[in-house]
Amino acid sequence: MIKLPMRVPQAGSGFVPAAYQQIRVPSGAFDSGGRAMEAMGESLTKVSKNLDDISQVMERDTVKESMTSFDRFAREQLNGTGEEGSTGYLGQYGKGAVESYDTIQKSLNDERQRLRDSLPSGRAQRLFDSATETTLLSTSSMMDAHRRQQVNSVRLETSRSAANEMADTYAVTADIPGLGQLAWDSGGAEAAHAVFLDPQPGMTAEEAARNWYGMAVGKRVEYQLRKGDTAGAEQTLKQHQTIISPDVKSRTEGQIQTAKTDQTIQTVSAPYVAMFQDWSLYAGRTPPVPANTPNANGSPQSTATAPSPDQAIGPESQDQYLGLPPLQAVYARAERDPAYQALSEEDKVTFRNTLNHKYAQEQAQARQQYAQNVTLAWSEIKGGKSYDNLPPAIRNGLSPRTKAAAIRLQEITSGQRNQETDIAAASHLTHMSPAELSRRILDEDMPFLSPAMGTLFKSISADAASTDPHRAMKAQSHLQALAYMSDTFSAGNSAILSPHDLDALSLQAVMITDRLIKEKKAVTRDELRKGLSGLVFETKAAEINRDQTSQPLSEVPPYPVNTVAQLAGIPVQLSGWALQDFKNEYKRTPTYHELGQFYRQRETSYYQKITGKPIEAIQKILHGLRQSGQEPDFLTVRQEIRKASPAHDPHAAR
C-alpha cells in the first residue's frame, strides 16, 4: 500500500514535536516509475485472485444444492416420498413395474437436465455432471434389476392366467369337437411352461401339467353339475381318471355324489315346497292343510277350513292367517311319503332345512303383503270409508282378528267409541317374547290400544328388533314389567282396573324400569319386581279405597249425583239419565264401573238429546276433543257445539 506524506502543523518557538507528530517519508514515495507502481500491481493481482476464490465457493454451493436436489428426487423415484400411497418404483410389481420403467427413467433424465441448465457456468455444469453420474447409474442399476424380476413375474403371471383361462374354456367346450381338445392341450402346455419360469423344488413340467388336468376336470364336472347333468359329470370323471391324481379323483367323486343326493332331495321336497307358494290365495283364512297324497300334477292335495266365528275374539297368532300351511302339518304329511322315508337320516335333515328355508322366504313376503293390506285398510277407514266398502281384494284377505280391529277403528273414527285400551289385547302383547313382538304387525293392534299404549308398544317392538344389545335388553325388561303389572291387577280376562288406570300404571312401570336400567345397566326379573313393589303397593291401596266402585249403587233415592259421577267417571249433568236408562234396560242396579261403561257406549246420544244437534256433528266434536288429548265433559262439549252453530259464526249471514 502507498504511504503518502502527512503535514504536521509548526509548533511555536522552543517546541519539540512528539513522536507521532514527526513526518517520515518512505523511500521512493515520489518515484513515479519505480516501486510504488510495482507494489500497486501486486495488490491488484491479489484482489483479483480473492474475488475468483469467492466466485468458486458460490458456484460450488449452487452445485451442491443441485446435487442434493437430484439425489433426493432419485431416492423418491425409487422408494417413494414416505407419504401414504407413495411407493416408488421398487414398490411396484408385475405389469405395473414393467410399464412404468421408461416413464421413471425419462423423469430422472429430465430432472437432471433441468437442474444442470439452471447452473451459472460451464464449470459448475461439469462439476454437476461428474457428481450426479454416479447417482444416475446407481439408480438405473437398481431399477434394471427390479425390472428384470418383474418381467419374469409378468411372464409367469401371464402363463398361469392363460392356463386358468384354458381350464375355464375346457369346462364349457369339452363336448365341442376341436375347441375342447385345443383348450386341453394348450392349458397343459402353459402349466408346464410356468415351471421353467418359476422353478419349484420337486416340481417337474409333467407334474405341473397333471395338476392342471385335475383342475380342468374339476371345473368341467362343476359346470355339468350346475346344469344338473350328473350322468355327464360321471362320464367326464371316468374318461380322465387315469390322468388326474387320486386326491382329485376322490374329491370329484364326492362332489358328484353330493349333487346326486341334492337332486334326490330336491325332487322329493318339490311338491311340499309348492305348498308354500299359493299363500296369496288363502290370506286371511285358515291356511290349507296337506291331505293324503300328491295329486296328478305332483302337488299334494290340500283343503282350506273356514275360520270359526270366535277366532275374532282374541289377538291370535298372525302367522296363522298369512295363507301358509302350518309347517308341522307339512312335516307330518312328508313323513307318510315313501319317497321321504327312503332318505337317509342325514338327508332327512337336509330335506327339513330345505323346507324351513323356503317357508321363511315365503313367510317374509306374505307378512310384508299382509302389513300393506292392513295399512291400506286403515287409511281407507280413517278417510271415512266403512269396513264393508273396503276393496274386496283387501277386505277378503283380512283375518277375523283384523276384521274386528277394522270395525273397531271405524267406530273410533266415527266417534261411536272411545279409543281406549282393551285389557285382554294389552295382556296378550305384554306376554309375548321380544322376538315375537318385533315380528308382529302392530298396526292390527292399534285400534285395541289407547294412543299412549300404542306408542309404547311400537317403541318396545323397535327396541326388540334392534341389533343393539342394550336396546334388546331394554325391550325384554319393559315387557317383563308390563306383564307383571298385568298379572298383578288382572283376574283372567276381567280387569280389576279400568283401561285408563291400566294405561297410567303401565307408563309408570316403564318409567321405573328405565330408572332401574340406568342405575344397574341390566335388571333381573327379581330386581324388576322389587323395584315395582312400591308402585304395586300404592296402586293396591288406592284400589282398596275405590272398592265401592264395584259395589251396587244405593237403592235409596235420591242418588248422590256427585258421587255417582265421580266414581263412574261420567259428567254430573248426565249421570242421572245414564243410571235410569241402565235400570230400565237391565232391570237392576249397576256397579259404578258398569254405569261408566254403559254411559260411554251411549255418550253421543245423550248429548244429542240435550242439544238437539245432529249426531254426526256431536261425534265430530267428541272425536276432535279426544284427538287433542282432552277428555270431553259436559260444559266443554256444549261450548264446542255452540261454536260450531251458525248463530255464533261471525261471518254468518244476518
Side-chain angles (χ1 to χ4, degrees), residues 537-612:
F537 177 81
E538 293 174 2
T539 306
K540 283 187 174 292
E543 182 183 326
I544 293 173
N545 293 333
R546 294 186 303 180
D547 272 348
Q548 56 183 323
T549 63
S550 61
Q551 301 300 322
L553 296 171
S554 170
E555 295 288 353
V556 181
Y559 298 104
V561 177
N562 290 337
T563 302
V564 171
Q566 181 179 3
L567 295 178
I570 63 180
V572 174
Q573 297 86 346
L574 303 177
S575 60
W577 280 4
L579 176 58
Q580 188 60 48
D581 288 346
F582 185 98
K583 294 181 69 176
N584 291 340
E585 184 170 340
Y586 294 101
K587 310 304 180 185
R588 65 178 177 86
T589 302
T591 65
Y592 290 106
H593 181 68
E594 289 175 333
L595 182 61
Q597 289 185 323
F598 181 84
Y599 162 78
R600 281 186 284 275
Q601 292 172 356
R602 295 158 178 80
E603 182 181 40
T604 307
S605 63
Y606 285 133
Y607 281 113
Q608 197 273 338
K609 289 179 183 179
I610 293 176
T611 62

Side-chain angles (χ1 to χ4, degrees), residues 613-653:
K613 298 299 180 181
I615 195 167
E616 293 80 5
I618 296 173
Q619 289 175 345
K620 183 177 180 181
I621 290 172
L622 295 175
H623 181 65
L625 289 172
R626 290 194 170 97
Q627 285 290 95
S628 66
Q630 184 177 0
E631 187 62 26
D633 58 64
F634 181 80
L635 295 178
T636 304
V637 172
R638 189 171 63 178
Q639 183 178 5
E640 291 297 319
I641 290 175
R642 288 179 176 177
K643 287 181 181 179
S645 173
H648 290 80
D649 186 353
H651 301 289

Side-chain angles (χ1 to χ4, degrees), residues 34-76:
R35 287 290 301 172
M37 293 301 297
E38 183 178 346
M40 180 178 177
E42 292 175 356
S43 298
L44 291 174
T45 300
K46 290 180 180 180
V47 168
S48 176
K49 185 175 184 302
N50 289 337
L51 290 174
D52 190 48
D53 290 342
I54 293 172
S55 176
Q56 290 184 22
V57 169
M58 294 178 65
E59 282 186 356
R60 281 196 298 271
D61 289 343
T62 303
V63 170
K64 285 181 180 179
E65 289 177 3
S66 298
M67 289 168 52
T68 301
S69 177
F70 180 72
D71 184 63
R72 180 173 61 254
F73 180 81
R75 286 199 309 271
E76 290 176 352

Side-chain angles (χ1 to χ4, degrees), residues 151 224 247 445 628:
V151 167
Q224 290 173 302
D247 290 343
D445 300 296
S628 66

Side-chain angles (χ1 to χ4, degrees), residues 484-497:
Y484 175 56
M485 302 309 290
S486 176
D487 293 343
T488 302
F489 294 101
S490 298
N493 290 329
S494 300
I496 297 174
L497 300 177

Side-chain angles (χ1 to χ4, degrees), residues 9 60 134 147 150 177 222 224 260 291 338 523 546 581 615:
R60 281 196 298 271
T134 302
R147 182 177 182 276
Q150 300 315 306
E222 290 175 358
Q224 290 173 302
K260 292 173 69 176
V523 185
R546 294 186 303 180
D581 288 346
I615 195 167

